[in-house]
Amino acid sequence: MNISLEMYGEIFAKAGVKLTSDVLETMFDAQLGLIISYLVIAAFGIVGITMKLFTAFSAKLAQDNRAILSWRFVTSNVFAYFYIILLIASIFTTSAGGVFALTVNNLYNIFMAIYAYVGFNFAIAFLSSRMRPMFAFLIICIALLTFFSFGISLLAMIGVIFTLRINNGPHPVEK
């Protein structure tokens, strides 16, 4: 433990961050408090992958697969507004302790992951209209790797705006 702390301490020191065992304990405790959100996000991921596989198999077996291929994950406006409230509440509760702060931060992580997924899909669709889909996918992935935290937050806000816009516009069947 001490050898790795010294090794990583030197790396962080070059970045201007002093890494001590107290800082590591605080970081570990903060991540441990968010374990519920990580488990729920993983469950959403497993369900999402399963639904993608189910859609692919159903589309192959169906006579008319247009309805199946148009399945999309979209939430209602209530959840989008709730995420905005969580975003604002998380600003004030990030450094606070207690059950309320822990609940807000866990819910914020869950909804951020959900709306980042919606925003990712929208960004891919939007960029694919201007360039090749694979190139659009690579651009977004590179941006996410470069600016991970900001990129996820930005995709989540894009997802919320897209959700509100889609739900308030004409229904796709009515077009």
Side-chain angles (χ1 to χ4, degrees):
M1 173 71 184
N2 204 9
I3 294 171
S4 62
L5 180 60
E6 289 174 9
M7 182 177 70
Y8 288 115
E10 291 175 17
I11 295 170
F12 280 101
K14 291 178 183 176
V17 177
K18 186 172 181 181
L19 189 63
T20 63
S21 60
D22 291 335
V23 172
L24 283 175
E25 284 180 35
T26 305
M27 289 170 45
F28 181 76
D29 288 342
Q31 293 305 309
L32 191 61
L34 297 175
I35 194 86
I36 293 170
S37 67
Y38 298 145
L39 291 173
V40 171
I41 291 167
F44 269 110
I46 291 168
V47 169
I49 291 169
T50 306
M51 286 300 296
K52 292 283 187 190
L53 292 172
F54 176 74
T55 301
F57 290 133
S58 298
K60 293 228 185 266
L61 297 174
Q63 299 284 335
D64 183 19
N65 62 0
R66 286 180 290 168
I68 294 171
L69 293 176
S70 68
W71 289 347
R72 296 287 177 255
F73 176 75
V74 182
T75 64
S76 69
N77 285 354
V78 173
F79 292 111
Y81 289 126
F82 184 66
Y83 173 72
I84 294 170
I85 292 169
L86 285 172
L87 174 67
I88 294 167
S90 72
I91 293 170
F92 299 108
T93 61
T94 299
S95 61
V99 175
F100 179 72
L102 193 60
T103 304
V104 167
N105 290 331
N106 274 298
L107 286 172
Y108 172 72
N109 275 350
I110 293 167
F111 278 84
M112 182 174 58
I114 290 169
Y115 283 109
Y117 172 75
V118 173
F120 182 82
N121 287 335
F122 174 74
I124 293 285
F126 179 76
L127 290 176
S128 293
S129 67
R130 296 170 176 12
M131 61 185 74
R132 291 186 176 165
M134 191 57 158
F135 190 62
F137 179 80
L138 285 174
I139 287 176
I140 293 174
C141 287
I142 290 170
L144 279 175
L145 289 174
T146 308
F147 310 106
F148 184 74
S149 182
F150 176 71
I152 296 291
S153 299
L154 182 63
L155 283 177
M157 285 313 301
I158 289 171
V160 166
I161 292 167
F162 172 74
T163 299
L164 293 174
R165 190 169 165 225
I166 280 295
N167 290 342
N168 291 334
H171 196 272
V173 176
E174 296 172 0
K175 287 183 181 177

